[in-house]
Amino acid sequence: MIADLDRPALWAYRSDYRPPADFDAFWRSTLDETAAFDLDVRLSPVVTGLRTIDVFDVTFAGFGGHPIRGWLRVPSDRIERLPAVVQFHGYASGRGHPLDDLLWASAGYAHLVMDTRGQGGDYAGGSTGDPVGTIGPAYPGFMTRGIADPETYFYRRVFADAVRAVQTVRTLDFVDSERVAVAGNSQGGGIALATAGLVPDVAALYAQAPFLCDFRRGVRITSEGPYAEIAGYLGAHRWEVEQVFRTLAYFDGIGFAARAIAPAWFSCGLMDGLCPPSTAFGAFHAYGGQKEIQVWDYNGHDAGGAQDLATAVSAFGAVLQK
């Protein structure tokens, strides 16, 4: 069953989201605050038994100087500087196991997957805490942590961490700093989109079924998944509706999309009840660079699955591989 709008309506849809007047100043201040801490990149080789891919345990300083973990996977036979893909994972997941997700390194990229702070208690384990903790009341999950104020909201720290992840791969002597792409699905797609808006010289973007876009619409039309956390919170804090959406306006993927210019590939499934396709189209239509979107009529939050990945590998190859 179609969970949202049909194809013609999606192409016609334009979100009524408008960024706050100080959106750019807020993020400039956030990144300046983060830049006050040394990046402090640390790589530790991991013994995996793999013959064609080297794996490193990575730590770098994110927002507040907090240590952020990740896996770096690179082809063992590297000679010249490599293009890189920085990947962000789905909601409540973590960086997983060193042997997970060997796709990008197998395709010839340096591949950094960033652990999202505080997450990793669900289907793939994480290793990064969030020292800030919960500020004020919150609904179970991550969507409402610190939501009373943009300065304290959970995703302020996450998006700043993501920018630092791009900076981290750019410090590596075997990476071509001008050929760094960002990628992710669901929450990871939303983080990648935010990163493309905050680091406009990234080389490419891949966002599969992106989350964290068009918050007002997402909260209104779906009762599933993380958007429902916001609705649950507002059900108990009825007087905070406008303040909550004021905070979320600084973190909406549509605001970042309008500031991003890298070639981008989006995807969504018409039966997606977690991240309604209109929210992805809201970001897609606002996107400031060359863009394509693949719509899958009979898929939900999985969107195109491996076929989307095949598209991304081909697209990134055309843009990033010399």
Side-chain angles (χ1 to χ4, degrees):
M1 182 176 70
I2 292 178
D4 190 4
L5 304 177
D6 61 15
R7 279 177 177 263
L10 288 170
W11 283 106
Y13 174 72
R14 297 296 185 275
S15 172
D16 58 5
Y17 165 82
R18 298 294 180 271
D22 62 342
F23 182 97
D24 294 310
F26 172 82
W27 282 106
R28 189 162 50 247
S29 173
T30 295
L31 297 184
D32 287 347
E33 180 180 334
T34 306
F37 297 89
D38 187 85
L39 195 55
D40 192 22
V41 178
R42 304 181 188 185
L43 301 183
S44 300
V46 179
V47 177
T48 62
L50 298 176
R51 295 185 178 183
T52 60
I53 295 174
D54 295 333
V55 181
F56 298 87
D57 191 341
V58 180
T59 305
F60 62 89
F63 178 85
H66 305 149
I68 306 299
R69 304 284 294 279
W71 298 123
L72 176 69
R73 303 176 177 95
V74 295
S76 300
D77 62 353
R78 57 192 181 277
I79 299 175
E80 299 179 345
R81 288 180 179 264
L82 300 172
V85 174
V86 180
Q87 182 177 354
F88 309 101
H89 58 69
Y91 187 76
S93 182
R95 64 176 181 164
H97 191 274
L99 295 181
D100 289 341
D101 202 354
L102 304 177
L103 171 69
W104 290 109
S106 299
Y109 297 87
H111 173 220
L112 174 63
V113 56
M114 186 190 86
D115 213 20
T116 300
R117 60 168 63 219
Q119 297 189 6
D122 196 353
Y123 57 92
S127 304
T128 304
D130 183 10
V132 176
T134 299
I135 300 174
Y139 192 87
F142 301 92
M143 295 303 297
T144 62
R145 295 187 181 185
I147 203 167
D149 191 309
E151 295 281 339
T152 59
Y153 189 47
F154 173 73
Y155 282 101
R156 180 182 185 229
R157 303 188 290 280
V158 172
F159 291 171
D161 295 342
V163 169
R164 299 279 272 189
V166 171
Q167 294 170 353
T168 292
V169 296
R170 284 178 162 173
T171 69
L172 304 177
D173 58 10
F174 50 80
V175 167
D176 183 343
S177 63
E178 295 184 358
R179 293 187 290 156
V180 177
V182 290
N185 74 298
S186 191
Q187 174 187 255
I191 297 173
L193 180 57
T195 307
L198 293 170
V199 189
D201 64 343
V202 295
L205 162 70
Y206 160 61
Q208 182 187 50
F211 180 43
L212 306 171
C213 299
D214 211 351
F215 280 107
R216 280 190 184 266
R217 181 169 178 83
V219 173
R220 280 199 306 265
I221 68 173
T222 183
S223 59
E224 298 183 44
Y227 284 124
E229 295 176 22
I230 299 171
Y233 179 88
L234 292 176
H237 297 78
R238 302 172 183 87
W239 58 93
E240 295 183 23
V241 171
E242 290 309 312
Q243 177 56 50
V244 162
F245 284 110
R246 177 184 177 276
T247 292
L248 293 173
Y250 290 90
F251 303 90
D252 199 303
I254 296 176
F256 297 109
R259 290 157 173 79
I261 58 174
W265 288 266
F266 293 74
S267 72
C268 65
L270 285 190
M271 296 183 174
D272 192 342
L274 297 178
C275 296
S278 61
T279 64
F281 265 85
F284 174 78
H285 287 312
Y287 195 81
Q290 176 187 340
K291 59 198 176 185
E292 296 180 17
I293 189 167
Q294 177 68 60
V295 181
W296 302 95
D297 294 86
Y298 297 100
N299 289 89
H301 197 49
D302 58 334
Q307 287 178 271
D308 281 339
L309 288 175
T311 296
V313 169
S314 175
F316 280 15
V319 172
L320 299 175
Q321 298 281 11
K322 291 182 178 180

